[in-house]
Amino acid sequence: MLLKRDIDVLTGDSYRSFPVSFLTEMNPFSLSVSRQWHPASWRDFPISQLPVYPDERILQDYERQLRSSPPLLLATEIRQFRHQMVQVAEGKAFLLQGGDCAESFDGCQATTIRDHCLTMAQMAGLIHESTGLPVVKLGRIAGQFAKPRSQQEETRDGVTLPSYRGDIINGQDFSLQDRIPDPQRMLRAYYHAAVTVNLLRAMNTSVFPDFTEPNFSPDRRGDSDNYYHLMREQLHGSYHRHVRDDYAGRPLFISHEALLLHYEEAMTRKDAVDGTWYNCSAHMLWLGERTGDPDGAHVEYLRGIGNPVGIKCGPNMTTERLLALLTIIDPDKQLGKIVLIARMGNDKIDEKLPPLLHAARMSGHPVIWAIDPMHGNTRNTFSGHKTRSFTSIVEEAQRFIRLLREEGMHPGCLHLEMTGGDVTECTGGLQHIDDRDLSYRYLSSCDPRLNRAQSLELAFLLGKALR
Ligand code: PEP
Ligand code: CO
């Protein structure tokens, strides 16, 4: 049913026609946004990872088109997600966030989206069966098109071109034509996000007929058969106790990194009823490791929106910077607002995480703690593939759970780069993928993802660890 507030946001009022003082107190989550914030205020701050578009006028034209396009989500849907995040913050639910490192336009296909959804649903089922906690599912999907890069340029055979920054900015081919940032790509990203959201909504109300099947070919070695049966049993249990009756109530929410602020600004709409600005292209957005300067443009943008916000915390995060970020982005210390995503690396988490846990707790911000066991565990193989070993990923996640438990805190979220497809990008797991297997089906356009079998196995193991 459409409520009045849904219809209001559909009018798509441009922020340029609203004074910021229009903010009202009706929203229970209303922010104490200072007067100067508006969706474009980030433009007055130093910014990193910004693409240089060759023609400002063409950029503005595409921004205008995006601003007048319908929102992908309604404010009510973001608030619904926010209410589920409150449950996670209170330790009454678990958040599972996962998807591609970088979505690509070519990869936006019905089977890929379906496999992603099914795998996430099964992972949620496995975790729920072990822990008894409801699992909130959040895809890195329908907008995860922009990538931060450590190197601004790439050189091959003496030719230097701008680095690939994700399909929303430029193309992957090593040619000048592809690598020059093209603002029209923002509109294409919007289109791909819209068709993805459309399919997700349809799938949210149907049960997968193959939900109870792990459905990957386990390697015949060792105890894999045994595992496979246990997983299948658990999926059956989850289906009969939970999924069959409650499927529609547990949609797959969407998220992406708030990196390309031209796009994020254009998708930011004011909810005419509660007066809050929402980024209506994702339920949740996150601040990346490379754009986390408290004085920078990305933080300025994120502090003004009503969506829940993730903050990546790498090994260089200091307690001072973390506290500054929390003060700026969550001044009102709201429940369900902030997810701190630790991505330290298996060899560093024991040393680096406890001071941050302690500082966040002392600050009084009721944050959700998440583990991203992917980004701190990347290595390069002899053949030049970027990979991650399943063992390091499991171990870092287990260490995270242990550290949180020692502090009496809720390990609330698992953040993964994963796919429902049968790729060979990470080593290890029940299929015993090794370095030599990687070139077989290495399809990621950026970082290596867990494949379907590895994702299910991880959910199965972490369910046990969380119990
Ligand atoms: C990512 O999540 O894809 C990413 C780039 O992570 P980080 O900012 O933590 O490096
Ligand atoms: Co990545």
Side-chain angles (χ1 to χ4, degrees):
M1 186 181 71
L2 277 184
L3 303 173
K4 178 174 181 301
R5 63 177 55 175
D6 301 332
I7 295 163
D8 286 335
V9 84
L10 282 174
T11 60
D13 289 311
S14 156
Y15 60 83
R16 294 180 199 269
S17 63
F18 276 109
V20 174
S21 58
F22 193 75
L23 291 171
T24 69
E25 288 82 58
M26 290 181 66
N27 178 7
F29 299 125
S30 124
L31 295 167
S32 57
V33 172
S34 84
R35 277 170 166 255
Q36 297 84 358
W37 189 91
H38 56 92
S41 59
W42 62 270
R43 292 174 189 261
D44 298 331
F45 289 74
I47 185 161
S48 44
Q49 300 287 337
L50 186 76
V52 181
Y53 290 104
D55 188 326
E56 181 69 20
R57 271 178 322 129
I58 299 178
L59 169 64
Q60 284 173 8
D61 189 40
Y62 284 112
E63 287 177 314
R64 221 175 350 258
Q65 289 186 52
L66 269 179
R67 268 204 308 276
S68 57
S69 302
L72 297 174
L73 304 173
L74 298 176
T76 0
E77 294 175 289
I78 297 166
R79 281 190 290 267
Q80 266 163 22
F81 172 66
R82 182 70 186 279
H83 284 293
Q84 299 206 10
M85 294 291 278
V86 168
Q87 300 280 301
V88 179
E90 288 175 337
K92 297 177 189 153
F94 187 79
L95 177 68
L96 175 66
Q97 185 175 20
D100 292 331
C101 177
E103 287 179 272
S104 67
F105 295 164
D106 285 349
C108 176
Q109 290 172 4
T111 46
T112 314
I113 297 166
R114 181 198 185 275
D115 290 348
H116 176 257
C117 252
L118 169 65
T119 307
M120 290 277 292
Q122 290 176 312
M123 294 169 76
L126 291 169
I127 296 171
H128 178 255
E129 260 311 272
S130 284
T131 61
L133 292 176
V135 178
V136 182
K137 293 171 294 174
L138 178 63
R140 288 174 59 117
I141 198 169
Q144 180 51 20
F145 292 115
K147 296 312 298 174
R149 301 313 300 255
S150 319
Q151 306 296 330
Q152 303 307 301
E153 296 182 324
E154 183 183 343
T155 301
R156 286 189 207 173
D157 301 327
V159 179
T160 299
L161 292 175
S163 296
Y164 170 61
R165 291 169 168 276
D167 278 7
I168 195 172
I169 294 172
N170 59 3
Q172 238 180 323
D173 275 4
F174 194 72
S175 65
L176 188 60
Q177 192 194 0
D178 240 38
R179 290 295 174 90
I180 297 288
D182 175 357
Q184 195 214 11
R185 283 176 169 273
M186 291 198 292
L187 220 56
R188 292 174 64 196
Y190 171 81
Y191 161 81
H192 282 98
V195 297
T196 304
V197 165
N198 183 52
L199 193 54
L200 293 178
R201 283 192 205 284
M203 287 192 295
N204 281 341
T205 52
S206 45
V207 177
F208 293 102
D210 44 354
F211 178 87
T212 54
E213 276 305 316
N215 207 12
F216 60 90
S217 41
D219 189 290
R220 290 286 149 195
R221 274 175 283 175
D223 54 4
S224 59
D225 265 358
N226 197 14
Y227 259 124
Y228 194 84
H229 287 303
L230 287 173
M231 247 186 236
R232 188 198 253 159
E233 235 168 62
Q234 214 160 304
L235 285 171
H236 269 277
S238 170
Y239 179 77
H240 289 290
R241 268 189 286 280
H242 170 63
V243 175
R244 202 178 35 179
D245 306 323
D246 186 30
Y247 209 73
R250 303 239 152 248
L252 180 75
F253 296 104
I254 61 173
S255 66
H256 63 261
E257 177 175 349
L259 187 66
L260 183 59
L261 295 182
H262 299 282
Y263 180 81
E264 307 307 344
E265 176 193 324
M267 296 311 296
T268 306
R269 311 290 164 85
K270 177 181 283 211
D271 186 46
V273 173
D274 77 10
T276 298
W277 295 98
Y278 290 96
N279 182 313
C280 290
S281 72
H283 296 93
M284 173 183 149
L285 293 114
W286 74 86
L287 179 69
E289 169 75 357
R290 295 171 189 75
T291 46
D293 175 2
D295 299 320
H298 292 85
V299 174
E300 169 60 17
Y301 172 73
L302 285 169
R303 84 178 171 94
I305 55 171
N307 310 58
V309 170
I311 300 175
K312 289 287 195 102
C313 302
N316 296 325
M317 177 64 92
T318 59
T319 54
E320 291 74 19
R321 183 154 69 87
L322 180 59
L323 294 178
L325 289 170
L326 289 174
T327 307
I328 296 167
I329 302 176
D330 178 34
D332 294 341
K333 304 189 174 175
Q334 301 172 85
L335 207 55
K337 170 73 188 181
I338 299 285
V339 185
L340 297 179
I341 309 168
R343 33 88 84 223
M344 300 295 179
N346 187 28
D347 54 343
K348 299 196 184 72
I349 187 165
D350 284 341
E351 176 202 348
K352 299 286 183 179
L353 188 59
L356 300 183
L357 295 180
H358 195 67
R361 160 179 284 156
M362 297 309 286
S363 74
H365 290 269
V367 302
I368 294 165
W369 274 102
I371 180 69
D372 161 4
M374 312 301 294
H375 286 90
N377 293 311
T378 313
R379 66 182 174 90
N380 287 308
T381 66
F382 187 65
S383 58
H385 288 103
K386 238 193 211 184
T387 192
R388 293 158 173 160
S389 94
F390 186 72
T391 312
S392 321
I393 291 166
V394 175
E395 277 181 19
E396 186 177 359
Q398 287 171 337
R399 283 179 203 275
F400 168 80
I401 293 170
R402 205 175 310 132
L403 291 168
L404 272 275
R405 288 271 156 79
E406 279 167 17
E407 292 287 329
M409 296 161 95
H410 177 47
C413 167
L414 178 62
H415 178 119
L416 298 175
E417 289 188 338
M418 46 77 59
T419 164
D422 194 16
V423 301
T424 53
E425 296 170 6
C426 293
T427 57
L430 290 177
Q431 292 169 319
H432 299 274
I433 294 169
D434 68 26
D435 283 12
R436 288 161 305 178
D437 301 322
L438 294 177
S439 54
Y440 174 58
R441 277 177 68 76
Y442 198 107
L443 303 181
S444 174
S445 51
C446 199
D447 291 340
R449 302 161 294 178
L450 295 172
N451 67 16
R452 178 173 158 73
Q454 292 164 331
S455 301
L456 292 177
E457 187 182 354
L458 181 64
F460 181 76
L461 294 173
L462 285 199
K464 281 182 193 295
L466 285 162
R467 188 147 49 190

